[in-house]
Structures are given as structure tokens and as C-alpha cells.
Amino acid sequence: MRWYNSLSIRLLLLFWVLLFAVASSGYLLALWFSKPVVPQPVPSEVQSSLAPILSEVETFRSLTPGRLVAGDYRVAASLAPSGTERLQFDRNISANFRELMMRQLDADQPQQFPMGSRMLIGPFALQDYRILVTRPLTADEQQEQATNEQQTQRVQTLSLLVGSFAIAILLGVWLIQPLRRLTHATREIAKGSEQPNLKRLPKRNDELGELARALSTTAYDLAVSRDAQRRLLSDVSHELRSPLARMQVALMLSADEDDSQARDNHMNQLGRDLERLSTIIERILSLSRLENGLVKLQAEPVDVRRLVEQLVSDLNYTDAKQGARLQVYESDAWPNTESDPELLRLIIENFVRNALQYTDDAIEISCQQHGTRYTIIIRDHGPGVPPEQLSQLFTPFYRADPSRNHKAGVGLGMALSMRTAAVLGGTVEARNHPDGGLEITVTLPLQAVSEA
């Protein structure tokens, strides 16, 4: 996510813009409602009291800034037509009001207006000489100035209050509305919704948009998980129902049967169903342990070829006819690896048994090495699997075309092997061999993966 899409930066920028807007509006409102300083004509009594001093040329020329003229009147600035010190200001006043005094020196008529705590009066002119004088503000003038300042402060305070309230509303609408939408969406997910109503939130590029997209993905994953659990319960119920029903029938028939041969047949059927039921439960538990990370790897050196040969020997002991169909290719590619021998055997055995169940032809087991990984290939010479069913072979309880199924399995072997290969850090793929038959490839690392 780029920095300019960050919600934190957007909030800071928005807050800064709104704060600047509030401060500016407060300043403008204060100017609007405050009384502007308007120059007033100089009262006649002021001009008459200063006339005796300001009417003499020599006296007028000698007036310098800071000099007391009469009473409380003091020279603030002087302007001569020439000379090195043509323009002079009272330093105490010019520090804050120099530009104002410059403009006043250029005025055509004498005027007066407040300047801080004093009243600026002028300009008074005589033979191209000009001066400005000041006097302290009277009590009435000070009171009027204080009233004007209080009104300005009230306007600024009011504008700040209104502006801050507007900021709170804008930020609330901008933040609370998306959060409220996320809250409603979370409640929809809790009720089982796969696609909660998030409106335009997932299209945002900030943290809220990222949260909305994560929430949408979570809702979908939860829905898929719920559906998978329901299908699993349904499939388990279906798988357990058949052997249990046959067992009940076998028990009832054996109880009513007088013929020992017939009773033995019923008991044999009961034994087979018990074995099948045990296999179903064992594989369901194994699959559950793998998916929940309860299986702990017991890595040790493993001779893969010897492990496969032992597996073939065990299958041949159980059923010599079936074992004779297994062909293990001689090759130098069979590695000595570090792995969990029990889990590795479980993977190979499930795929081999699946091939024995679905085909009557030879089954080839070979191995290849490439870099730090090796691949075990189990290929049968049967009719193969329709391409549209290849992706479903590793789904729990899924069975391919029943016409290929001579010995009904429980549909868990392929899924169990795939999960086990993932625990060992490997992958499993299924494809139809170009020369016919189904080919399963199990790719595993030569070194054991870590527990993580």
C-alpha cells in the first residue's frame, strides 16, 4: 500500500485542512464583525492648541521625533524636503507602525486614528516640511477599543467552536460509517453469509479497504469450511451407514440360521464389514490429525528403495496375486533421504492400494531425482481417469467412475496421502499417462522439513 493511501496520513491531512479552514474562517469572521479603524478628522481644538507651535517655520523645522510639543503631544515622525536625515521616526513607535506612519505622512489632510495605546495625528505641513504627532488615548477611547477587541475575541471563539463541531461531524461520518458497515458485515458473517454487504469499502485503498477485503475473504473461507464440514459429516454418515446396515443384517441372519456353513458366511461378512468400518474410522482420524497439525514428524535416515520393497513384500504376503502385479524399477535414482518412514510409507501404500483396487493390470513404481528433491511415480495401466475428474481425485470420499471400481474403497486414501505429503513438505499430482493409465507423482525433499 502506497503512503498516500494510508488512512493515518489521510486523517492527518484532513485534520490539518479542516483546522486551517476553521482558523481562517475565524480570522475572516473577526475582521467582518470587528469595527474597522476609520481615520477621523482632527478636532479643531487640537489644531488650535498646536497652531502656535506649528505655525513658526524655525520651530517647525526643529521638531524631531520624540520631542514633546505641547501637553501630551509628542512628535512621532518628521519628513524634510532634503538632507541626510530627511525621514525620521520615533524608534519606540516605528518598530510596529512604520508602514502605517509612512502612509499617513503622504495623506493630503490631517487625520487621527488609534495606533496601539496612542492616537496618531497628522500630517501637519509647513513649507514642504511634514510631521506626525501622537497623544495617549483618552479613557473613552480606551473603553471603545477594549469593547471592539472583546467582540473580535467572541467572534473568533464562536467560529472555533462551530468549526471544531463541524470537524467532529465530518470525521465521524468519514470514520464511523465504515466502521458501522464493518460491524454489520461481521454480524452477517456470524449468521452464515458468504458475501457480506460491504458496499464500496473493498474498493478503498487505505487500511479500512484492506480490512474490508480481508473480511470478505474470511467470510468466503468460513463458508467454504462450513460447507466442507457439512459434506464431510454427510459423507461420513453415508460411509458408516452401509457397513453398519450389513452388519445388522448379518447378525440377524446368523441368529436365525441353522446351517453352520451359512452362519459362517454371515460371520465372515460381519468380519469384513467390521474391518471396513475400522478402516474408515482410522483414515478419518488420520486425516483429521494431519489437517489439524497434530502429527509430529519423526525424521530419521530412510532408504526409500528398501522401504518400497518392504511394502511390496507385505502386500505380496497378504495377497500373492495382487503383489505379483507390482513392479519396482531398478535405478540409481532411489535416494537415501531423511524423512518420517511411517508417513512416507502411508503415502506410497495408499496410492498403490488405490491402483490395485481400480485396475487389474501391472503397476509400476519408479523414482527420479532432481536437485534437492526426488519424485516417486506410481503408474497403472488401466483406462485412466476422465480429465474433468482429475482435480477431484484428492477430495475426501470422492470416487472416480464406478465402472473402474472393482473393490469399493472409502474415498479417503488419495486425500490422506496428499495431506501427508504436504506435512513432509512435498506435493502430489495426478495425470493420465500418454500411453494409457493413471500416473501419480509424489515429489518430496531429500532433507526433512522443520516442524514449522
Side-chain angles (χ1 to χ4, degrees):
M1 183 176 63
R2 298 183 183 274
W3 66 269
Y4 51 79
N5 290 328
S6 172
L7 180 62
S8 302
I9 294 179
R10 287 185 175 184
L11 283 175
L12 289 174
L13 290 177
L14 178 62
F15 185 76
W16 181 81
V17 170
L18 293 176
L19 186 62
F20 179 77
V22 169
S24 300
S25 62
Y27 176 74
L28 294 175
L29 287 173
L31 291 179
W32 179 268
F33 286 101
S34 62
K35 294 181 180 180
V37 178
V38 179
Q40 300 291 333
V42 178
S44 57
E45 60 269 18
V46 174
Q47 292 190 1
S48 58
S49 63
L50 295 177
I53 299 176
L54 302 179
S55 59
E56 297 180 4
V57 177
E58 294 299 329
T59 304
F60 196 95
R61 291 179 179 179
S62 64
L63 295 176
T64 57
R67 180 177 176 178
L68 193 63
V69 179
D72 293 328
Y73 293 95
R74 190 179 297 274
V75 178
S78 63
L79 177 63
S82 60
T84 56
E85 297 182 353
R86 179 171 173 267
L87 178 62
Q88 300 181 60
F89 294 97
D90 186 336
R91 294 181 179 179
N92 296 329
I93 302 176
S94 64
N96 298 320
F97 303 101
R98 187 183 183 89
E99 293 184 2
L100 178 61
M101 295 166 69
M102 289 282 292
R103 290 195 301 269
Q104 189 62 22
L105 282 171
D106 293 332
D108 297 331
Q109 298 293 332
Q111 299 174 334
Q112 67 175 16
F113 53 86
M115 185 180 64
S117 62
R118 303 184 68 83
M119 183 71 72
L120 181 64
I121 306 172
F124 298 101
L126 183 64
Q127 293 186 357
D128 296 332
Y129 286 87
R130 288 173 174 256
I131 64 170
L132 297 176
V133 298
T134 62
R135 64 171 175 81
L137 294 177
T138 63
D140 293 339
E141 291 170 343
Q142 291 178 358
Q143 180 63 34
E144 182 180 0
Q145 188 179 46
T147 302
N148 192 17
E149 290 178 355
Q150 290 176 359
Q151 182 179 4
T152 301
Q153 291 176 356
R154 284 196 297 269
V155 171
Q156 289 179 337
T157 302
L158 180 61
S159 64
L160 288 175
L161 290 176
V162 173
S164 60
F165 182 71
I167 289 177
I169 292 177
L170 288 175
L171 292 178
V173 171
W174 198 57
L175 281 177
I176 295 177
Q177 283 297 106
L179 293 177
R180 185 175 298 173
R181 171 51 49 198
L182 290 171
T183 302
H184 290 323
T186 304
R187 291 173 180 170
E188 293 175 10
I189 294 173
K191 294 179 180 178
S193 174
E194 180 180 347
Q195 295 181 340
N197 183 16
L198 292 168
K199 294 187 177 179
R200 297 181 57 85
L201 278 180
K203 297 182 179 180
R204 294 178 58 152
N205 294 323
D206 54 13
E207 288 85 348
L208 288 176
E210 186 175 352
L211 177 59
R213 290 188 292 273
L215 195 62
S216 179
T217 303
T218 301
Y220 176 78
D221 292 342
L222 287 176
V224 171
S225 178
R226 284 193 298 267
D227 292 341
Q229 290 178 357
R230 291 168 184 165
R231 287 194 301 270
L232 179 61
L233 288 175
S234 175
D235 293 337
V236 169
S237 301
H238 175 75
E239 291 296 332
L240 296 179
R241 188 181 299 114
S242 298
L244 285 173
R246 288 195 300 270
M247 290 167 63
Q248 291 175 348
V249 172
L251 282 174
M252 289 187 297
L253 293 177
S254 63
D256 298 334
E257 191 65 59
D258 295 331
D259 185 4
S260 61
Q261 182 65 33
R263 189 183 299 112
D264 290 341
N265 291 335
H266 295 319
M267 295 305 294
N268 290 335
Q269 179 63 45
L270 182 61
R272 288 194 297 271
D273 286 332
L274 279 172
E275 183 179 357
R276 178 178 174 81
L277 193 61
S278 175
T279 300
I280 293 174
I281 294 174
E282 179 184 356
R283 291 192 175 182
I284 289 175
L285 292 176
S286 298
L287 186 61
S288 177
R289 287 195 297 268
L290 285 171
E291 290 182 335
N292 289 283
L294 301 179
V295 175
K296 301 298 182 181
L297 295 181
Q298 302 294 331
E300 59 184 70
V302 178
D303 185 337
V304 179
R305 176 174 175 78
R306 183 176 179 182
L307 183 145
V308 172
E309 289 177 343
Q310 183 63 50
L311 170 62
V312 172
S313 176
D314 292 345
L315 293 175
N316 188 56
Y317 177 82
T318 304
D319 189 334
K321 184 178 178 180
Q322 295 281 24
R325 295 165 50 199
L326 300 176
Q327 300 177 7
V328 180
Y329 277 81
E330 297 286 345
S331 172
D332 294 335
W334 292 98
N336 290 318
T337 182
E338 184 179 340
S339 184
D340 188 313
E342 293 300 325
L343 293 182
L344 181 58
R345 172 169 173 142
L346 185 147
I347 297 170
I348 303 172
E349 183 173 359
N350 280 329
F351 287 137
V352 169
R353 287 185 179 274
N354 184 77
L356 290 173
Q357 289 176 359
Y358 279 84
T359 64
D360 295 324
D361 299 317
I363 298 168
E364 302 171 355
I365 307 174
S366 59
C367 184
Q368 297 176 358
Q369 280 197 48
H370 34 84
T372 59
R373 304 177 78 84
Y374 66 99
T375 300
I376 299 175
I377 304 169
I378 300 101
R379 179 199 169 190
D380 63 47
H381 290 267
V385 176
E388 64 274 8
Q389 295 182 4
L390 283 174
S391 60
Q392 298 177 306
L393 289 179
F394 302 101
T395 302
F397 296 106
Y398 175 79
R399 296 190 185 91
D401 188 355
S403 63
R404 299 182 67 235
N405 189 1
H406 301 288
K407 302 172 184 176
V410 297
L412 283 174
M414 301 282 280
L416 184 59
S417 292
M418 185 175 186
R419 304 295 195 280
T420 308
V423 171
L424 294 179
T427 58
V428 176
E429 294 182 1
R431 72 183 185 101
N432 288 316
H433 196 276
D435 297 331
L438 181 66
E439 183 178 80
I440 304 292
T441 59
V442 183
T443 303
L444 297 165
L446 289 172
Q447 297 295 324
V449 297
S450 63
E451 288 287 334

